[in-house]
Amino acid sequence: MIDSATFWNKAAEKYARDPIKNMANYEYKLAKTREHFRPDMRVLEFACGTGSTALLHAPHVASYHAVDISSEMIRIARAKEGAEQVEFEVADFDTMPLAPESVDMVQAHSILHLLTDPATTIHKVFATLKPGGVFVSSTACLRRIWPLRLIAPIGQMLGKFPHIAFFSEDDLRKMMVEAGFEIVEDWQPKGGITGLFLIVRKPE
């Protein structure tokens, strides 16, 4: 079994080439996120991959800090046009030092289901946000996908799969609420494993 950084370093070039599967859904989530932007905002995105979403959002806020555990993902992100608008960094959100109540928005797309302890990560997001701050996430909720639950351990042993956490949409909503968040946007496209898109707010 390989560690997560090594797995994603190996996958980075293919990840960068793969097209977005549903552009309409992606653009809907971008637009919904931007409804919560202000020009003075400090935004942190973790597991930013090759930075595509960060680069689209960065012009709308004061500062945008995007981190990923994969040095190859960050290398590709830094080479993209407009990368100077984003502070790209190789870092693990779970272990990086962050001052309490220091950012206005945190974004985490396609990552919570790949973490060892997503509930603990959500609590750290809550602590990092200022009062009234917003957490935006899009997450594959895979609890019902029994074939994947059976083959995932084998794939991980062979280095073909990353770690996968299996929880339902309701499990994720519960994790958000138990961390202290209020859910303000809850959307899931129809058909396939499309992911649960949530925008949640830390109370003032």
Side-chain angles (χ1 to χ4, degrees), residues 170-188:
D170 283 344
D171 292 334
L172 181 56
R173 295 181 183 106
K174 183 178 179 182
M175 283 187 264
M176 295 292 186
V177 172
E178 288 182 345
F181 286 112
E182 301 168 347
I183 297 174
V184 296
E185 185 75 35
D186 184 324
W187 181 71
Q188 187 168 27

Side-chain angles (χ1 to χ4, degrees), residues 37-157:
F37 281 167
R38 300 187 316 272
D40 63 341
M41 290 185 87
R42 295 185 62 198
V43 179
L44 170 64
E45 180 184 347
F46 66 91
C48 69
T50 56
S52 298
T53 298
L55 291 169
L56 291 171
H57 282 326
H60 302 279
V61 297
S63 68
Y64 203 108
H65 186 189
V67 306
D68 199 283
I69 62 170
S70 166
S71 59
E72 281 299 296
M73 294 282 193
I74 294 298
R75 179 188 63 78
I76 294 168
R78 286 172 174 162
K80 290 184 175 181
E81 184 177 354
E84 69 281 354
Q85 300 175 88
V86 179
E87 181 188 353
F88 285 113
E89 180 185 3
V90 180
D92 182 347
F93 176 81
D94 287 341
T95 58
M96 66 187 295
L98 290 165
E101 300 185 355
S102 58
V103 300
D104 300 289
M105 177 184 284
V106 175
Q107 296 192 41
H109 304 295
S110 301
I111 183 59
L112 295 179
H113 62 291
L114 302 178
L115 301 177
T116 304
D117 188 352
T120 296
T121 299
I122 291 168
H123 276 83
K124 183 173 182 178
V125 171
F126 186 89
T128 302
L129 284 167
K130 298 175 183 178
V134 175
F135 180 31
V136 182
S137 63
S138 186
T139 310
C141 299
L142 304 171
R143 186 173 179 178
R144 294 188 300 273
I145 313 300
W146 288 102
L148 182 59
R149 296 187 74 164
L150 294 174
I151 66 173
I154 299 170
Q156 290 159 13
M157 289 294 294

